[in-house]
Amino acid sequence: MASKPVLTEDGSVTRFHPEYEEHYHSMCGAHKEALKRFVEPCRLIEVALQKGAIRFLDVGFGLGVNLGIVLHELQSRAPKVSIEVVSLEKELLSLSDLRPHFASLPGKETSTLLEQLVVEGEVSNTGLKMELIQGDALEQVPLLPGEFDAIFLDPFSPKKNPEPWQASFLGALWEVSSKGGILSTYSVAASVRMSLMRAGWEIGLGPRVGRKSSGTLASKGSVDPPLPALDPKQRRSLEKRLTE
Ligand SMILES: C[S@@+](CC[C@H](N)C(=O)[O-])C[C@H]1O[C@@H](n2cnc3c(N)ncnc32)[C@H](O)[C@@H]1O
């Protein structure tokens, strides 16, 4: 069954996946979610400007929206920085389905770069290296050379798509993160937060995007400034459950 395009509130288009019965993005806006949930809380621009280079991991290429938005933000706000990205996808849609989503992304070259990435599996230009690996992220991540400054964890929900939320996989992500690397996800499930903690991540509160709840941020070691704190009661309850 083919997924269907659906308009979100910021005017950008997402899709509905008929088997997972979920949208690929928040209905408050596909483009808005990419910026507010992933680019900003992972501090990509700040890290890129500070280091002169940035390497990030995109779990769940989907419609290429997170990747396209971050690419545009980096190229326009940190133009001299060298960018390296690995994107993982186990169910790549056809180019004809993906094209309209690419075409609506900001930036003159974003659409062309994503199209080349899908067709060739990689892009290697001066200052820009992108790789799209088709396959199960659970098998692919342990094969990746670290270290990533940021990780976008964006599969479908833990209820419908439980595998990429398992503690063992979150541990594999911890292994490939750089020290001080930040992972962002929309999930606020206690089970996901506990699995992140078990895997060694320090966790904090993600931003509220649209009407949806706030999401979760995780860092490998502490970061400066610190991640926004979870509600103290919630944190105590998670810590208590972890020792039971
Ligand atoms: C919510 S959508 C991602 C949307 C995407 N980040 C974007 O910006 O367009 C979830 C994606 O994760 C992919 N996915 C789910 N489980 C996966 C796995 N184990 N390995 C790789 N990709 C997976 C799905 O096929 C789907 O394309």
Side-chain angles (χ1 to χ4, degrees), residues 194 198 236-244:
M194 286 194 295
R198 271 193 199 104
R236 277 198 298 277
S237 149
L238 292 173
E239 285 169 352
K240 184 161 174 270
R241 286 172 68 184
L242 274 177
T243 58
E244 283 168 4

Side-chain angles (χ1 to χ4, degrees), residues 22-48:
E22 287 183 0
H23 291 101
Y24 279 71
H25 300 94
S26 158
M27 290 307 288
C28 79
H31 289 191
K32 180 175 175 182
E33 185 182 31
L35 192 63
K36 299 288 172 194
R37 165 80 54 227
F38 296 104
V39 180
E40 291 178 0
C42 285
R43 306 176 188 178
L44 278 173
I45 307 296
E46 296 87 328
V47 174

Side-chain angles (χ1 to χ4, degrees), residues 80-92:
K80 297 205 175 95
V81 159
S82 82
I83 304 168
E84 202 182 319
V85 54
V86 176
S87 187
L88 305 171
E89 177 55 60
K90 77 166 183 191
E91 202 186 307
L92 189 65

Side-chain angles (χ1 to χ4, degrees), residues 173-188:
L173 293 178
W174 188 89
E175 292 291 340
V176 297
S177 170
S178 62
K179 195 160 173 287
I182 297 181
L183 173 152
S184 181
T185 183
Y186 62 85
S187 177
V188 292

Side-chain angles (χ1 to χ4, degrees), residues 24-25 60-66 89-90 135-137 154 156 161:
Y24 279 71
H25 300 94
F61 173 84
L63 312 179
V65 171
N66 288 347
E89 177 55 60
K90 77 166 183 191
D136 189 342
D154 196 25
F156 290 113
N161 187 190

Side-chain angles (χ1 to χ4, degrees), residues 218-229:
S219 64
K220 181 164 176 172
S222 53
V223 285
D224 183 23
L227 297 179

Side-chain angles (χ1 to χ4, degrees), residues 167-212:
S168 54
F169 180 63
L170 302 177
L173 293 178
W174 188 89
E175 292 291 340
V176 297
S177 170
S178 62
K179 195 160 173 287
I182 297 181
L183 173 152
S184 181
T185 183
Y186 62 85
S187 177
V188 292
S191 59
V192 169
R193 287 180 168 172
M194 286 194 295
S195 294
L196 283 164
M197 290 162 91
R198 271 193 199 104
W201 292 96
E202 296 194 9
I203 65 165
L205 191 67
R208 186 173 287 276
V209 180
R211 289 179 301 278
K212 268 199 161 180

